[in-house]
Amino acid sequence: MISYSVKQLASLVGGIVEGEPEIEITGISDIFDAKKGQITFLSNPRYEAAVEKTQASAIVVSKSYKSSSPITLIRVDSPSLAFSQIISLFSPQPCSYEPGIHPTALIGREVEIGKEVSIQPYAVIEDKVKIGDGCVIGAYVFIGRESIIGEKSFFYPHVTIRERSRIGKRVILHPGVVIGSDGFGYEKTNGRHEKIPQVGIVQIDDDVEIGANTTVDRGRFGKTWIQEGCKIDNLVQIAHNVIIGKNSIIAAQTGISGSTSLGEDVTLAGQVGIAGHIHIGDGATITAQSGVTKDVPPGAVLSGRHARPINLTHKLEVLYNKLPELWERLKKLEKKCDGDSSRPEADSYNS
């Protein structure tokens, strides 16, 4: 059985032990299900009450966390990040893929394949594709002609990359990702929707990760561009000619309409809807289920169906919840006014 002392784990993550440093840790768990001998972590303040109930032998917490709990703590700057390092000690080794081309894979003409590349069963690589060193191309992956794949990229099964796409280094695409599908463009002529040709490409820069069943449309012309370091969740729709700035985060079920641009370090929470042809400034945050229809300044935090400043949205939500009470009060005031004949405005009001 694998085990580490709390002291050893603290040394790994650069933490400070508060409690018993020699306790042996044999596993990991969340704060609710942890048992004796396991370590857990606390990063969200809403779960602080669980600290008193957990059976964990140790907890990774922030340096600012205030606790009267007798449980041994490891104090760090980022509990979530530190715990991810600890997880790696107790988790199974990641799957490895032997370099080589499986006999069932179909490789087109003039394909360039780098060193130590693994191409799994039933992958299809069309003509004139270039694949960099150390890539893993999963089962049933399709890579369209003249696409370029940077070194050490990893494509899980059933990824589809259409023609002439440009994928950078160390890009991770999860199952079902579609890169380079046609943008949604039609012109109504004589009562019919005529398709507008989509002749651009998709460019994905280095160190991007894209979640399962996310789609990125090719540009109508030019390119749809996801810049370096972006992390995109499952089930996201990115339309034609969208630009997403470096290190932006996009959560599940978000939809971004055509020709919209995001600055660097933008955060879009789940189910955000973005209208087309607008710009979202650097560092902006759009909270879950918000709808954005106009430009967003840098650093703004917007919330709500109409994506107002978050403080205003919260005030409006409070007022909305008070409407029944306010309505009853208003009716009582009206009744009082109706019965007060001494008020000079009563007659004019009732008229």
Side-chain angles (χ1 to χ4, degrees):
M1 178 183 293
I2 299 174
S3 70
Y4 298 88
S5 69
V6 169
K7 181 179 179 180
Q8 288 175 308
L9 296 179
S11 177
L12 170 71
V13 300
I16 300 169
V17 178
E18 189 173 294
E20 297 295 330
E22 301 304 328
I23 293 176
E24 288 296 311
I25 301 298
T26 58
I28 56 173
S29 183
D30 64 74
I31 198 166
F32 300 102
D33 299 325
K35 306 298 182 186
K36 184 177 180 181
Q38 294 181 323
I39 189 169
T40 187
F41 78 109
L42 175 71
S43 63
N44 192 326
R46 73 170 62 183
Y47 299 126
E48 286 184 3
V51 172
E52 304 299 325
K53 300 178 181 179
T54 187
Q55 298 180 42
S57 293
I59 307 177
V60 180
V61 300
S62 69
K63 290 181 177 177
S64 61
Y65 173 66
K66 297 179 181 178
S67 171
S68 58
S69 171
I71 298 175
T72 294
L73 306 178
I74 299 177
R75 294 188 178 274
V76 296
D77 291 324
S78 173
S80 182
L81 182 61
F83 197 66
S84 68
Q85 294 175 273
I86 293 172
I87 287 173
S88 66
L89 298 177
F90 295 96
S91 299
Q93 291 297 312
C95 295
S96 59
Y97 296 87
E98 288 293 325
I101 301 172
H102 193 273
T104 61
L106 299 179
I107 310 298
R109 296 171 298 177
E110 301 180 54
V111 172
E112 298 180 21
I113 299 175
K115 301 175 183 177
E116 304 295 310
V117 171
S118 178
I119 299 179
Q120 296 297 300
Y122 299 103
V124 176
I125 315 295
E126 290 200 323
D127 297 347
K128 299 183 179 180
V129 168
K130 297 180 180 179
I131 300 175
D133 296 347
C135 288
V136 174
I137 310 300
Y140 294 97
V141 168
F142 172 88
I143 303 178
R145 65 183 59 207
E146 299 179 19
S147 293
I148 298 175
I149 314 300
E151 63 187 46
K152 296 184 179 179
S153 287
F154 195 117
F155 301 163
Y156 283 92
H158 293 283
V159 165
T160 297
I161 300 173
R162 276 190 47 187
E163 65 275 11
R164 297 182 290 111
S165 296
R166 302 289 182 264
I167 312 293
K169 301 174 183 177
R170 299 174 299 278
V171 170
I172 300 173
L173 303 181
H174 288 272
V177 167
V178 177
I179 304 296
S181 49
D182 277 5
F184 192 68
Y186 300 89
E187 187 72 29
K188 196 166 187 178
T189 305
N190 298 324
R192 294 172 56 86
H193 295 291
E194 300 292 340
K195 184 176 178 64
I196 297 172
Q198 308 289 304
V199 298
I201 67 166
V202 173
Q203 178 177 319
I204 298 176
D205 290 347
D206 298 346
D207 300 304
V208 169
E209 184 166 0
I210 300 179
N213 293 325
T214 284
T215 57
V216 183
D217 292 348
R218 68 195 313 104
R220 177 180 177 182
F221 34 76
K223 63 187 177 184
T224 302
W225 186 10
I226 301 176
Q227 296 181 359
E228 180 181 343
C230 290
K231 309 302 179 186
I232 300 172
D233 201 357
N234 304 333
L235 296 168
V236 172
Q237 157 63 11
I238 298 170
H240 55 214
N241 295 102
V242 166
I243 298 174
I244 300 177
K246 294 178 180 179
N247 299 312
S248 291
I249 295 285
I250 301 175
Q253 297 185 349
T254 289
I256 306 175
S257 300
S259 298
T260 281
S261 60
L262 280 61
E264 297 182 8
D265 293 299
V266 168
T267 298
L268 304 182
Q271 295 186 329
V272 167
I274 310 291
H277 303 272
I278 64 174
H279 178 70
I280 298 177
D282 293 351
T285 296
I286 313 297
T287 66
Q289 295 189 324
S290 296
V292 183
T293 59
K294 58 184 179 180
D295 290 352
V296 175
V301 180
L302 301 187
S303 177
R305 181 182 172 206
H306 298 291
R308 300 179 177 95
I310 191 168
N311 290 338
L312 175 59
T313 295
H314 289 168
K315 288 180 181 178
L316 292 173
E317 288 290 333
V318 170
L319 289 173
Y320 180 80
N321 291 331
K322 289 185 175 181
L323 281 177
E325 175 192 343
L326 293 172
W327 176 243
E328 291 300 321
R329 291 173 62 184
L330 178 60
K331 287 195 294 184
K332 289 179 181 179
L333 286 171
E334 286 181 328
K335 189 174 182 179
K336 183 178 179 181
C337 290
D338 288 344
D340 187 357
S341 58
S342 64
R343 290 176 59 90
E345 66 273 19
D347 290 339
S348 60
Y349 175 85
N350 291 327
S351 64

